[in-house]
Amino acid sequence: MTVVVQLDELEERICAALEAGRQEEIRELLLRHHPADVADVIDRLDDDEQARVFGLLPPAQAAEVLSETDLAATRALVRRLEPVAAAALFAQMAPDDVVEILGEDIPEALPSILRVLPPAEAREVQRKLAYPPRSAGRLMTEAFVAAQAELSGAEALALLRRLASSVETLSDLFVQDEAGQLMGVVSLRALLSAPPSQPLRVLMVAPAAQVAPETDQEEAARLVSQYDLLALPVVGEGGIMLGVVTVDDIVDVLVQEGSEDVLRLGAVQEGATDEGYFTTPIWRIITRRIGWLLILFLTGTMTINVLGWFEEALAQVVALSFFIPLLIGTGGNTGAQTVSTMVRSLALGELRPGDIWPVVGRELISGLLLGLLLGVIAFGLTLLLGNEPDLALVVALAIVAICTWANTIGAVVPLLAHRLRLDPALVSAPLITTLVDATGLAIYLLIARLILGV
Amino acid sequence: MTVVVQLDELEERICAALEAGRQEEIRELLLRHHPADVADVIDRLDDDEQARVFGLLPPAQAAEVLSETDLAATRALVRRLEPVAAAALFAQMAPDDVVEILGEDIPEALPSILRVLPPAEAREVQRKLAYPPRSAGRLMTEAFVAAQAELSGAEALALLRRLASSVETLSDLFVQDEAGQLMGVVSLRALLSAPPSQPLRVLMVAPAAQVAPETDQEEAARLVSQYDLLALPVVGEGGIMLGVVTVDDIVDVLVQEGSEDVLRLGAVQEGATDEGYFTTPIWRIITRRIGWLLILFLTGTMTINVLGWFEEALAQVVALSFFIPLLIGTGGNTGAQTVSTMVRSLALGELRPGDIWPVVGRELISGLLLGLLLGVIAFGLTLLLGNEPDLALVVALAIVAICTWANTIGAVVPLLAHRLRLDPALVSAPLITTLVDATGLAIYLLIARLILGV
């Protein structure tokens, strides 16, 4: 009964059947596997193969698979479909999945699809599109269990049975007044444990958290994680409950945001998270990376100027230039460590706006201590390599100063970004490294001028 | 009814009351807030304050708060308690929380606490501790709904009501045979939608996924995310069901692993994820960072050797040294981008072991293209700065070669780490940068020797 899916094997068999034109075999393989696994295989095929395989799926399973493929693959597949065929698929999908697929990215398909969707779903899709991308409103589902406070436990359970197949979460019942205002929440656990005659009014508690539809999905994820929620209510103006964000969507948000932090810290432009590694065309990889590389390259040219100012010193003591890569490398490494620590602490909500000075204080001290430790080693090493003690002193002092400086910059810049409501992970490690390169060089060569008199 | 918790305010009021010795006020404040929020405030106090505030909590809420504080804070609090007092708290906590707190880290407290815990819980804690850290076995709960296949829907619902307050998840019923083998799973949705007389045998389906207790928590998280599960069954030898991993624990795993990736990419030693930013003593920050910094520093000294080999060339053409920081910086940036892309694709399970050559091919090509784009700019820029065309050619060719090289290295090293079953995020951006520094210099100066004849 073990269900270990060998995706490699599944993909191989599908590709072989595709080549040999054995459509029946492909269809059978697709139907025997979980839509999420089928989606993974489709993600790795090229555009034509994707369309051919996808075309073999019966509509119900096609809709399920379409909710699971990479967004880029999904959109490519949708673009190839007639609006009527696309709408038929979308009609079988949850409106939040439809909104995620259509989003801002294929506006040309939207009107024709909205026209053929069932009117209720079309309206829900339009309501959702009015909220900002990556907001709780985009993520939420309107299919939740709403109940009146006067309902008894037994009546509520009967309601739950009636709605079971159409709502997206059964873990909580949301109690509303006649106007639709959220009054409280009754967990399924409380409902099942209580005597059947007890009214919801008695069973309900205030929700541990709620969000507005405009709230960023990352904040929604933080609340779900903080309070161990299965469903987070989304409440609009006047306390009217609009929908719930379910934990399975939050799991996807966490995976996506984690991915983005990693990419941003590496100075790769976002957007890449929508696409599979192998299905992203190389030109798109280039366009997503060249921007940051260019900015960093041009910022990096400052180092040429700095070295130019000290041309004479470098010509007099060639050995000075030997330590340049090591010194700025160490500064970059120290700064990258601090940036990581900051990005993580900010993501976990450990740091608050008022914390900037205590943070700077801590990072200044730890940078100084790290610099002192490395400085002592650098001093010994420089002597060992047969250099004069005064050059060794220059290198050691430069390490101390650069580490302290890099550590402080690596803390301040993400905190400032956070204040300006930018993602602190945008302050990538490469950015800090590049900033520290130029300033670190100036620090090093000024110390050299001071001590060596060059 | 809005429940926006102002943690800043809560913390301020608690600190003020603490200073003034107004214990009643603190207790009242603590009881009025969610245990997760109280835990967040406690995380930011110093050791003494933590113990004083925690001592004011009634045992039931103290146990809830203890499950939510940072692990480091929790352990410090537990160490201050008498074993009997600690066991009284632990007896009110879920065994998986107890195991997380005790773990390997406070072995001295374990025997005395096990002795005073209720025997059934003590045995469960010991069973869990036998599984590796960060495994599904550590994470799972044994409190799930197990049912026989012959039970009718109505009987199963009655069982659910009986167990509602003691099990950790109500979303799925797990059907077992007499031996305890997992036969299938019935979702609450299916149970509620079906006629009450239908036996579970008819309602059950094969679980979309299952794991062994030794399975890494990251793999468990991947499966929960892939199949949108609320509860993942953990199955031991002979197909015997041991427990379930619930989605709220997976949310915590995702937050923790995301945090770790960020830290590791920044070359900060793991372990730091257990602790709050402000509660980590500075000496511990230093010990967690100096290791990597030293390794990178010592690796970085290779650059001194490389430059030493080319001493004459550098003395002859001082301008050569002006471009060193820019060239190795660009190499480091390109490498960091690739590392990020790899770490992300590996974490999402997009890449498989057989993919190494296609990946190397792609990264070689994109590195070459990025290098060509930057190389053209570098050529123009070097000329603009008043250098000879042959130096400009050296710089441009070096950029092309270094970008291609850094991109390939940035792809190969994480893939190799993954093959060796190391976390690819351990191959931090700083590590790649440092590797590229030395090799990039050699590439640059060899090209210079070739073209300039120095």
Side-chain angles (χ1 to χ4, degrees):
Chain A
M1 208 214 49
T2 324
V3 234
V4 178
V5 179
Q6 294 298 343
L7 281 181
D8 271 327
E9 199 194 309
L10 179 60
E11 188 187 346
E12 246 169 62
R13 291 178 61 185
I14 286 181
C15 286
L18 207 55
E19 233 165 89
R22 295 194 299 271
Q23 301 208 343
E24 257 328 296
E25 186 186 335
I26 302 178
R27 189 174 292 134
E28 193 201 322
L29 279 170
L30 296 177
L31 289 175
R32 259 187 23 227
H33 288 88
H34 194 285
D37 294 327
V38 173
D40 274 6
V41 170
I42 289 186
D43 281 342
R44 291 168 63 101
L45 302 174
D46 68 31
D47 279 11
D48 269 327
E49 292 169 336
Q50 283 185 349
R52 278 167 63 200
V53 170
F54 187 75
L56 292 173
L57 286 166
Q61 223 213 356
E64 285 187 82
V65 168
L66 207 58
S67 313
E68 304 276 354
T69 42
D70 281 332
L71 270 183
T74 312
R75 290 178 183 147
L77 284 167
V78 169
R79 281 206 188 86
R80 282 172 170 250
L81 294 173
E82 293 295 313
V84 180
L89 287 179
F90 284 147
Q92 306 209 29
M93 292 167 65
D96 49 327
D97 289 332
V98 176
V99 168
E100 193 188 2
I101 295 169
L102 292 175
E104 273 66 40
D105 298 278
I106 34 179
E108 70 279 10
L110 187 60
S112 50
I113 287 173
L114 282 180
R115 220 173 302 127
V116 273
L117 268 188
E121 191 173 349
R123 276 195 303 275
E124 187 173 343
V125 167
Q126 280 184 301
R127 271 198 298 279
K128 285 214 157 72
L129 282 171
Y131 300 120
R134 300 173 164 247
S135 64
R138 285 276 179 107
L139 214 58
M140 74 183 183
T141 170
E142 297 181 5
F144 61 91
V145 185
Q148 306 273 305
E150 302 314 324
L151 237 51
S152 72
E155 287 167 329
L157 197 58
L159 178 69
L160 214 57
R161 293 189 93 114
R162 227 169 29 248
L163 297 177
S165 59
S166 61
V167 294
E168 284 204 29
T169 176
L170 296 167
S171 64
D172 297 277
L173 286 80
F174 296 90
V175 181
Q176 298 181 330
D177 64 12
E178 300 82 60
Q181 276 201 334
L182 175 59
M183 298 171 64
V185 55
V186 178
S187 71
L188 179 68
R189 189 184 306 274
L191 182 66
L192 290 177
S193 312
S197 62
Q198 203 128 64
L200 296 188
R201 180 178 298 286
V202 178
L203 297 174
M204 76 183 185
V205 296
Q210 62 184 48
V211 291
E214 296 81 18
T215 306
D216 190 83
Q217 60 178 16
E218 222 170 331
E219 171 64 8
R222 204 188 59 73
L223 291 170
V224 165
S225 154
Q226 168 89 342
Y227 300 112
D228 285 346
L229 305 177
L230 294 174
L232 173 69
V234 180
V235 173
E237 272 173 59
I240 306 295
M241 177 148 174
L242 303 173
V244 297
V245 177
T246 55
V247 70
D248 56 306
D249 289 326
I250 292 298
V251 166
D252 295 340
V253 166
L254 287 170
V255 171
Q256 185 192 349
E257 301 275 351
S259 239
E260 276 183 4
D261 277 356
V262 165
L263 289 179
R264 288 184 172 180
L265 274 173
V268 180
Q269 199 194 319
E270 57 188 313
T273 48
D274 290 350
E275 298 187 322
Y277 178 80
F278 284 108
T279 45
T280 314
I282 287 200
W283 63 263
R284 203 172 304 157
I285 293 177
I286 304 295
T287 52
R288 280 199 178 129
R289 291 178 53 179
I290 192 71
W292 261 117
L293 276 186
L294 252 181
I295 292 172
L296 296 171
F297 182 83
L298 295 176
T299 319
T301 56
M302 284 194 303
T303 57
I304 304 179
N305 297 328
V306 173
L307 290 172
W309 299 333
F310 295 94
E311 180 166 6
E312 264 180 69
L314 289 168
Q316 273 182 45
V317 190
V318 179
L320 269 179
S321 69
F322 294 178
F323 296 91
I324 286 176
L326 181 64
L327 288 174
I328 61 180
T330 303
N333 296 337
T334 315
Q337 287 187 330
T338 321
V339 170
S340 294
T341 313
M342 287 298 124
V343 166
R344 180 217 157 221
S345 292
L346 286 166
L348 294 182
E350 285 185 338
L351 298 178
R352 306 191 198 138
D355 286 339
I356 192 155
W357 290 114
V359 168
V360 168
R362 275 178 79 90
E363 296 305 328
L364 206 125
I365 293 172
S366 56
L368 184 66
L369 290 173
L370 289 168
L372 285 170
L373 286 169
L374 290 177
V376 170
I377 295 164
F379 186 80
L381 192 94
T382 314
L383 284 182
L384 263 179
L385 289 172
N387 293 289
E388 299 295 317
D390 50 357
L391 180 60
L393 187 64
V394 170
V395 172
L397 287 178
I399 287 268
V400 178
I402 288 173
C403 284
T404 313
W405 167 241
N407 226 45
T408 313
I409 283 288
V412 169
V413 182
L415 283 174
L416 285 182
H418 186 63
R419 275 232 174 153
L420 299 173
R421 296 182 178 278
L422 296 170
D423 182 347
L426 269 178
V427 183
S428 57
L431 181 64
I432 292 294
T433 306
T434 306
L435 288 179
V436 167
D437 277 2
T439 48
L441 276 177
I443 291 173
Y444 170 46
L445 293 166
L446 281 173
I447 292 177
R449 181 174 285 174
L450 221 71
I451 292 184
L452 304 180
V454 286
Chain B
M1 208 214 53
T2 322
V3 233
V4 178
V5 180
Q6 294 295 345
L7 282 181
D8 271 327
E9 197 194 310
L10 178 61
E11 187 188 347
E12 246 169 61
R13 292 179 61 184
I14 285 182
C15 286
L18 206 56
E19 233 166 85
R22 295 194 300 271
Q23 301 209 341
E24 257 327 296
E25 186 187 334
I26 302 178
R27 189 174 290 133
E28 196 203 317
L29 279 170
L30 295 177
L31 288 175
R32 259 190 21 228
H33 287 87
H34 193 286
D37 294 326
V38 173
D40 273 5
V41 169
I42 289 186
D43 281 342
R44 290 169 61 102
L45 301 174
D46 69 32
D47 279 11
D48 269 326
E49 293 169 337
Q50 283 186 347
R52 277 167 64 201
V53 169
F54 187 74
L56 291 173
L57 285 166
Q61 221 214 358
E64 284 186 83
V65 168
L66 207 58
S67 313
E68 304 276 354
T69 42
D70 280 335
L71 269 183
T74 313
R75 288 177 183 147
L77 284 167
V78 169
R79 282 205 188 85
R80 283 170 170 250
L81 294 173
E82 294 295 312
V84 180
L89 287 179
F90 284 148
Q92 305 209 30
M93 292 166 66
D96 49 327
D97 289 331
V98 176
V99 168
E100 195 188 1
I101 294 169
L102 292 175
E104 274 65 39
D105 299 277
I106 34 178
E108 69 280 8
L110 187 59
S112 50
I113 286 173
L114 283 180
R115 221 173 303 125
V116 274
L117 268 188
E121 191 173 348
R123 275 194 304 274
E124 187 173 343
V125 167
Q126 279 184 300
R127 270 197 300 278
K128 285 214 155 75
L129 282 172
Y131 300 121
R134 303 172 160 247
S135 64
R138 285 276 177 106
L139 213 58
M140 74 184 181
T141 171
E142 298 181 5
F144 61 91
V145 185
Q148 306 273 304
E150 301 316 323
L151 236 51
S152 72
E155 287 167 328
L157 197 59
L159 177 69
L160 214 56
R161 293 189 93 114
R162 234 176 14 256
L163 296 177
S165 60
S166 62
V167 294
E168 285 203 30
T169 176
L170 296 166
S171 64
D172 297 276
L173 285 81
F174 296 90
V175 180
Q176 298 179 331
D177 64 13
E178 301 83 58
Q181 276 201 335
L182 175 59
M183 297 170 65
V185 56
V186 178
S187 72
L188 179 68
R189 187 183 306 273
L191 182 67
L192 290 177
S193 311
S197 62
Q198 202 129 62
L200 297 188
R201 179 178 297 287
V202 178
L203 298 175
M204 76 183 185
V205 295
Q210 62 183 48
V211 291
E214 297 80 18
T215 306
D216 190 81
Q217 62 179 17
E218 220 169 332
E219 171 64 8
R222 203 187 60 74
L223 291 169
V224 165
S225 154
Q226 168 89 341
Y227 300 112
D228 284 346
L229 305 176
L230 294 173
L232 173 70
V234 181
V235 173
E237 272 174 58
I240 305 296
M241 179 152 173
L242 302 172
V244 297
V245 177
T246 54
V247 69
D248 56 306
D249 288 328
I250 291 298
V251 166
D252 294 341
V253 167
L254 287 170
V255 170
Q256 184 192 348
E257 301 274 351
S259 239
E260 275 183 6
D261 277 355
V262 165
L263 288 179
R264 286 183 173 181
L265 275 173
V268 180
Q269 199 194 314
E270 58 189 311
T273 49
D274 291 350
E275 296 186 325
Y277 179 81
F278 283 109
T279 46
T280 314
I282 287 200
W283 63 263
R284 204 173 302 157
I285 294 176
I286 304 294
T287 52
R288 280 201 178 127
R289 291 179 52 179
I290 191 72
W292 261 117
L293 276 186
L294 250 181
I295 293 172
L296 296 172
F297 182 83
L298 295 176
T299 319
T301 56
M302 284 192 306
T303 56
I304 304 179
N305 297 328
V306 173
L307 291 173
W309 301 333
F310 295 93
E311 182 165 4
E312 264 179 69
L314 289 168
Q316 274 181 47
V317 190
V318 180
L320 270 180
S321 69
F322 294 177
F323 295 91
I324 288 177
L326 182 63
L327 288 175
I328 62 181
T330 303
N333 296 337
T334 315
Q337 287 187 330
T338 320
V339 170
S340 294
T341 313
M342 286 297 125
V343 165
R344 180 217 156 220
S345 292
L346 287 166
L348 294 182
E350 285 185 338
L351 298 178
R352 307 193 197 134
D355 286 338
I356 191 154
W357 290 113
V359 169
V360 168
R362 273 177 80 89
E363 296 304 328
L364 206 124
I365 293 172
S366 56
L368 184 66
L369 291 174
L370 289 169
L372 285 170
L373 285 170
L374 291 177
V376 170
I377 294 165
F379 185 80
L381 192 92
T382 314
L383 284 183
L384 263 179
L385 289 173
N387 294 287
E388 299 294 316
D390 51 357
L391 181 59
L393 187 64
V394 170
V395 171
L397 287 178
I399 287 269
V400 179
I402 289 173
C403 283
T404 313
W405 168 241
N407 226 42
T408 313
I409 283 287
V412 169
V413 182
L415 283 174
L416 285 181
H418 187 65
R419 274 232 173 151
L420 299 172
R421 296 182 177 279
L422 296 171
D423 182 348
L426 268 178
V427 184
S428 56
L431 180 64
I432 293 294
T433 306
T434 306
L435 288 179
V436 168
D437 277 1
T439 48
L441 276 177
I443 292 173
Y444 171 46
L445 294 166
L446 282 173
I447 292 177
R449 181 173 286 174
L450 220 71
I451 292 184
L452 304 180
V454 286

